[in-house]
Amino acid sequence: MKKMVFSLFLLTVLYFIIFIGLGLSKDYKWSDMDWDNSGMVSVFEVMDAVDIGLRKSAKGCREYYSLKDGLPVKEVCSE
């Protein structure tokens, strides 16, 4: 029983490590990964970066969009 619980725990930790690594590999600015504009970037927001793409908007800004449906998530313009 203890081996099974430990295995499930290990798999859960591995899952989080893989998704955090994939999110960080997107090479987005850390401040831009604050998808909900809370002022802090959480581990889950880094993991969400896996499903978010980057494109230039018509205004020349960086527009982050959902890969699932193409809808914009966040737009960041240089000041």
Side-chain angles (χ1 to χ4, degrees):
M1 181 69 176
K2 287 183 180 181
K3 287 183 180 181
M4 188 170 71
V5 171
F6 180 72
S7 297
L8 287 174
F9 173 74
L10 196 59
L11 284 173
T12 304
V13 169
L14 186 62
Y15 173 83
F16 277 97
I17 289 172
I18 289 171
F19 265 85
I20 289 169
L22 288 172
L24 292 173
S25 72
K26 289 290 206 149
D27 204 27
Y28 296 157
K29 289 185 180 180
W30 188 258
S31 59
D32 290 352
M33 280 196 277
D34 183 17
W35 308 123
D36 62 359
N37 294 320
S38 66
M40 287 180 38
V41 178
S42 70
V43 171
F44 297 107
E45 287 175 318
V46 174
M47 290 172 64
D48 286 341
V50 173
D51 297 324
I52 296 177
L54 173 65
R55 62 185 170 208
K56 296 287 183 188
S57 69
K59 299 181 266 182
C61 302
R62 292 185 315 273
E63 182 180 64
Y64 296 93
Y65 66 97
S66 172
L67 293 175
K68 177 178 69 174
D69 53 17
L71 295 175
V73 174
K74 182 177 185 176
E75 186 174 48
V76 179
C77 297
S78 299
E79 298 173 30

